Amino acid sequence: IYTPKSFVISYNGPRIISVNMTADDPVLVRAGAQLDFSYSVEFVPTTDEYSDRFVRYLDNDFFQHQIHWFSILNAFMMVLLLCGVVAVILVRTLKR
């Protein structure tokens, strides 16, 4: 478990523009052990405007655009399973 956490808060005037949290030095959890949690906060002024605060999430470097084939296959199999269930219900209902 990550017990120490560091927050970096970027602000422009009275408005918060971004908050980054990092966790370092994981601690092994043992039964009955006492864990000491700590955090640090650093306020950093920025020149980014409040209206542009979401631009960083649209950046191509923020997301690694990888195709998650297993998730696509899983969703496809769920669709097939649910269509099968609906088909069985309809066939049993229409036979009567």
Side-chain angles (χ1 to χ4, degrees):
I1 188 167
Y2 292 95
T3 54
K5 304 214 181 334
S6 299
F7 295 92
V8 177
I9 301 173
S10 299
Y11 66 93
N12 186 354
R15 296 187 171 188
I16 293 176
I17 305 300
S18 67
V19 177
N20 291 323
M21 196 260 322
T22 56
D24 298 322
D25 302 327
V27 174
L28 184 62
V29 177
R30 294 190 180 106
Q34 180 178 352
L35 296 175
D36 295 324
F37 291 92
S38 63
Y39 69 93
S40 64
V41 180
E42 180 182 357
F43 290 92
V44 179
T46 184
T47 59
D48 295 341
E49 292 296 322
Y50 183 76
S51 60
D52 297 332
R53 66 191 184 279
F54 290 111
V55 171
R56 65 184 283 197
Y57 300 113
L58 301 175
D59 189 16
N60 286 336
D61 295 332
F62 184 77
F63 290 109
Q64 294 180 358
H65 296 288
Q66 297 175 354
I67 298 175
H68 298 276
W69 292 107
F70 183 73
S71 297
I72 294 171
L73 178 66
N74 188 24
F76 181 70
M77 294 304 289
M78 287 300 294
V79 168
L80 287 178
L81 176 72
L82 292 175
C83 287
V85 168
V86 170
V88 167
I89 291 172
L90 283 175
V91 166
R92 287 187 178 186
T93 303
L94 294 176
K95 273 188 175 181
R96 294 181 187 182

Short mmCIF file of all heavy atoms in Angstrom, two decimals, residues 35-62:
data_model
loop_
_atom_site.label_atom_id
_atom_site.label_comp_id
_atom_site.label_asym_id
_atom_site.label_seq_id
_atom_site.Cartn_x
_atom_site.Cartn_y
_atom_site.Cartn_z
N LEU A 35 0.14 1.20 10.18
CA LEU A 35 0.55 1.95 9.00
C LEU A 35 0.50 3.44 9.31
O LEU A 35 -0.49 3.93 9.85
CB LEU A 35 -0.36 1.63 7.81
CG LEU A 35 -0.33 0.20 7.30
CD1 LEU A 35 -1.36 0.01 6.21
CD2 LEU A 35 1.04 -0.16 6.80
N ASP A 36 1.55 4.12 8.96
CA ASP A 36 1.60 5.57 9.14
C ASP A 36 1.42 6.22 7.77
O ASP A 36 2.24 6.04 6.87
CB ASP A 36 2.93 6.00 9.74
CG ASP A 36 3.11 5.48 11.15
OD1 ASP A 36 2.10 5.42 11.89
OD2 ASP A 36 4.24 5.12 11.51
N PHE A 37 0.33 6.95 7.61
CA PHE A 37 0.05 7.64 6.36
C PHE A 37 0.53 9.08 6.47
O PHE A 37 0.40 9.71 7.52
CB PHE A 37 -1.45 7.61 6.05
CG PHE A 37 -1.95 6.25 5.68
CD1 PHE A 37 -2.46 5.40 6.64
CD2 PHE A 37 -1.90 5.82 4.37
CE1 PHE A 37 -2.92 4.15 6.31
CE2 PHE A 37 -2.36 4.57 4.02
CZ PHE A 37 -2.86 3.74 5.00
N SER A 38 1.08 9.59 5.37
CA SER A 38 1.53 10.98 5.36
C SER A 38 1.26 11.58 3.99
O SER A 38 1.08 10.85 3.01
CB SER A 38 3.02 11.06 5.70
OG SER A 38 3.77 10.39 4.70
N TYR A 39 1.23 12.89 3.95
CA TYR A 39 1.04 13.58 2.68
C TYR A 39 1.76 14.91 2.73
O TYR A 39 2.05 15.45 3.79
CB TYR A 39 -0.45 13.76 2.36
CG TYR A 39 -1.16 14.73 3.25
CD1 TYR A 39 -1.28 16.07 2.89
CD2 TYR A 39 -1.73 14.32 4.45
CE1 TYR A 39 -1.93 16.97 3.70
CE2 TYR A 39 -2.38 15.21 5.26
CZ TYR A 39 -2.49 16.53 4.89
OH TYR A 39 -3.13 17.42 5.69
N SER A 40 2.05 15.40 1.53
CA SER A 40 2.63 16.73 1.43
C SER A 40 1.88 17.47 0.33
O SER A 40 1.42 16.87 -0.64
CB SER A 40 4.12 16.67 1.11
OG SER A 40 4.32 16.08 -0.15
N VAL A 41 1.75 18.77 0.49
CA VAL A 41 1.03 19.60 -0.47
C VAL A 41 1.95 20.73 -0.90
O VAL A 41 2.57 21.39 -0.07
CB VAL A 41 -0.26 20.18 0.14
CG1 VAL A 41 -0.98 21.05 -0.87
CG2 VAL A 41 -1.17 19.07 0.63
N GLU A 42 2.03 20.93 -2.22
CA GLU A 42 2.85 22.02 -2.76
C GLU A 42 1.96 22.85 -3.68
O GLU A 42 1.33 22.31 -4.59
CB GLU A 42 4.03 21.45 -3.54
CG GLU A 42 4.92 22.50 -4.14
CD GLU A 42 6.06 21.88 -4.94
OE1 GLU A 42 6.18 20.65 -4.98
OE2 GLU A 42 6.80 22.67 -5.55
N PHE A 43 1.88 24.14 -3.45
CA PHE A 43 1.12 25.05 -4.30
C PHE A 43 2.07 25.70 -5.28
O PHE A 43 3.08 26.29 -4.88
CB PHE A 43 0.41 26.11 -3.45
CG PHE A 43 -0.70 25.55 -2.62
CD1 PHE A 43 -0.48 25.13 -1.32
CD2 PHE A 43 -1.97 25.42 -3.15
CE1 PHE A 43 -1.49 24.60 -0.56
CE2 PHE A 43 -3.00 24.90 -2.40
CZ PHE A 43 -2.76 24.49 -1.10
N VAL A 44 1.74 25.58 -6.58
CA VAL A 44 2.59 26.10 -7.64
C VAL A 44 1.79 27.08 -8.49
O VAL A 44 0.75 26.70 -9.05
CB VAL A 44 3.11 24.94 -8.53
CG1 VAL A 44 3.97 25.47 -9.64
CG2 VAL A 44 3.86 23.93 -7.71
N PRO A 45 2.24 28.33 -8.63
CA PRO A 45 1.53 29.26 -9.52
C PRO A 45 1.74 28.86 -10.98
O PRO A 45 2.78 28.33 -11.35
CB PRO A 45 2.16 30.61 -9.21
CG PRO A 45 3.47 30.30 -8.60
CD PRO A 45 3.36 28.97 -7.95
N THR A 46 0.73 29.08 -11.79
CA THR A 46 0.81 28.76 -13.21
C THR A 46 0.23 29.90 -14.03
O THR A 46 -0.55 30.71 -13.52
CB THR A 46 0.08 27.44 -13.52
OG1 THR A 46 0.26 27.13 -14.90
CG2 THR A 46 -1.40 27.53 -13.24
N THR A 47 0.60 29.94 -15.29
CA THR A 47 0.05 30.96 -16.19
C THR A 47 -1.08 30.40 -17.03
O THR A 47 -1.65 31.13 -17.85
CB THR A 47 1.15 31.50 -17.12
OG1 THR A 47 1.71 30.42 -17.87
CG2 THR A 47 2.24 32.20 -16.32
N ASP A 48 -1.42 29.13 -16.86
CA ASP A 48 -2.52 28.54 -17.61
C ASP A 48 -3.83 29.19 -17.19
O ASP A 48 -4.07 29.43 -16.00
CB ASP A 48 -2.60 27.03 -17.36
CG ASP A 48 -1.39 26.30 -17.89
OD1 ASP A 48 -0.69 26.88 -18.75
OD2 ASP A 48 -1.15 25.16 -17.46
N GLU A 49 -4.68 29.45 -18.16
CA GLU A 49 -5.98 30.05 -17.88
C GLU A 49 -6.96 29.00 -17.37
O GLU A 49 -6.85 27.81 -17.69
CB GLU A 49 -6.54 30.71 -19.14
CG GLU A 49 -5.76 31.93 -19.59
CD GLU A 49 -5.81 33.06 -18.57
OE1 GLU A 49 -6.87 33.26 -17.96
OE2 GLU A 49 -4.78 33.72 -18.40
N TYR A 50 -7.93 29.43 -16.60
CA TYR A 50 -8.94 28.54 -16.06
C TYR A 50 -9.74 27.87 -17.17
O TYR A 50 -10.08 26.69 -17.08
CB TYR A 50 -9.87 29.33 -15.12
CG TYR A 50 -10.90 28.47 -14.44
CD1 TYR A 50 -10.54 27.65 -13.38
CD2 TYR A 50 -12.22 28.50 -14.84
CE1 TYR A 50 -11.48 26.87 -12.75
CE2 TYR A 50 -13.17 27.71 -14.21
CZ TYR A 50 -12.79 26.90 -13.16
OH TYR A 50 -13.72 26.11 -12.54
N SER A 51 -10.01 28.60 -18.24
CA SER A 51 -10.81 28.04 -19.35
C SER A 51 -10.03 26.99 -20.15
O SER A 51 -10.63 26.21 -20.87
CB SER A 51 -11.26 29.16 -20.28
OG SER A 51 -10.13 29.84 -20.81
N ASP A 52 -8.70 26.94 -20.00
CA ASP A 52 -7.88 25.99 -20.74
C ASP A 52 -7.42 24.82 -19.87
O ASP A 52 -6.51 24.08 -20.25
CB ASP A 52 -6.65 26.69 -21.31
CG ASP A 52 -7.01 27.75 -22.32
OD1 ASP A 52 -8.06 27.61 -22.97
OD2 ASP A 52 -6.23 28.72 -22.45
N ARG A 53 -8.04 24.61 -18.72
CA ARG A 53 -7.54 23.60 -17.80
C ARG A 53 -7.74 22.17 -18.30
O ARG A 53 -7.04 21.27 -17.86
CB ARG A 53 -8.21 23.76 -16.44
CG ARG A 53 -9.69 23.50 -16.41
CD ARG A 53 -10.30 23.95 -15.10
NE ARG A 53 -11.70 23.63 -15.00
CZ ARG A 53 -12.66 24.34 -15.55
NH1 ARG A 53 -12.37 25.43 -16.23
NH2 ARG A 53 -13.92 23.99 -15.42
N PHE A 54 -8.67 21.93 -19.24
CA PHE A 54 -8.90 20.57 -19.74
C PHE A 54 -8.08 20.25 -20.98
O PHE A 54 -8.11 19.13 -21.46
CB PHE A 54 -10.39 20.35 -20.04
CG PHE A 54 -11.22 20.29 -18.80
CD1 PHE A 54 -12.10 21.29 -18.50
CD2 PHE A 54 -11.09 19.23 -17.92
CE1 PHE A 54 -12.86 21.25 -17.35
CE2 PHE A 54 -11.85 19.17 -16.76
CZ PHE A 54 -12.74 20.19 -16.48
N VAL A 55 -7.32 21.19 -21.48
CA VAL A 55 -6.53 20.97 -22.69
C VAL A 55 -5.50 19.86 -22.46
O VAL A 55 -5.22 19.07 -23.36
CB VAL A 55 -5.86 22.28 -23.14
CG1 VAL A 55 -4.86 22.05 -24.25
CG2 VAL A 55 -6.92 23.27 -23.57
N ARG A 56 -4.97 19.75 -21.28
CA ARG A 56 -3.96 18.72 -20.99
C ARG A 56 -4.51 17.32 -21.16
O ARG A 56 -3.79 16.39 -21.48
CB ARG A 56 -3.38 18.90 -19.60
CG ARG A 56 -4.39 18.68 -18.50
CD ARG A 56 -3.83 18.95 -17.16
NE ARG A 56 -3.00 17.82 -16.77
CZ ARG A 56 -2.62 17.59 -15.54
NH1 ARG A 56 -2.96 18.44 -14.60
NH2 ARG A 56 -1.90 16.55 -15.24
N TYR A 57 -5.82 17.13 -20.95
CA TYR A 57 -6.41 15.80 -21.10
C TYR A 57 -6.68 15.46 -22.56
O TYR A 57 -6.92 14.31 -22.88
CB TYR A 57 -7.70 15.71 -20.29
CG TYR A 57 -7.48 15.96 -18.82
CD1 TYR A 57 -7.99 17.07 -18.20
CD2 TYR A 57 -6.71 15.08 -18.07
CE1 TYR A 57 -7.76 17.31 -16.86
CE2 TYR A 57 -6.47 15.30 -16.73
CZ TYR A 57 -7.01 16.42 -16.14
OH TYR A 57 -6.77 16.65 -14.81
N LEU A 58 -6.67 16.46 -23.43
CA LEU A 58 -6.87 16.21 -24.86
C LEU A 58 -5.56 15.95 -25.57
O LEU A 58 -5.55 15.61 -26.75
CB LEU A 58 -7.59 17.41 -25.49
CG LEU A 58 -8.95 17.75 -24.90
CD1 LEU A 58 -9.49 19.01 -25.53
CD2 LEU A 58 -9.91 16.60 -25.06
N ASP A 59 -4.46 16.11 -24.88
CA ASP A 59 -3.14 15.90 -25.47
C ASP A 59 -2.92 14.43 -25.77
O ASP A 59 -3.30 13.55 -24.99
CB ASP A 59 -2.07 16.41 -24.50
CG ASP A 59 -0.70 16.44 -25.13
OD1 ASP A 59 -0.61 16.37 -26.36
OD2 ASP A 59 0.29 16.56 -24.37
N ASN A 60 -2.31 14.14 -26.90
CA ASN A 60 -2.08 12.75 -27.30
C ASN A 60 -1.11 12.05 -26.37
O ASN A 60 -1.15 10.82 -26.22
CB ASN A 60 -1.54 12.69 -28.73
CG ASN A 60 -2.61 12.96 -29.75
OD1 ASN A 60 -3.78 12.77 -29.48
ND2 ASN A 60 -2.22 13.41 -30.91
N ASP A 61 -0.22 12.77 -25.73
CA ASP A 61 0.75 12.15 -24.84
C ASP A 61 0.13 11.75 -23.50
O ASP A 61 0.68 10.93 -22.77
CB ASP A 61 1.93 13.08 -24.59
CG ASP A 61 2.73 13.33 -25.86
OD1 ASP A 61 2.72 12.44 -26.73
OD2 ASP A 61 3.34 14.40 -25.98
N PHE A 62 -1.02 12.35 -23.15
CA PHE A 62 -1.64 12.03 -21.87
C PHE A 62 -2.19 10.62 -21.87
O PHE A 62 -2.04 9.86 -20.93
CB PHE A 62 -2.76 13.04 -21.57
CG PHE A 62 -3.39 12.84 -20.22
CD1 PHE A 62 -2.73 13.25 -19.08
CD2 PHE A 62 -4.61 12.22 -20.10
CE1 PHE A 62 -3.30 13.07 -17.83
CE2 PHE A 62 -5.19 12.03 -18.86
CZ PHE A 62 -4.53 12.46 -17.73
#
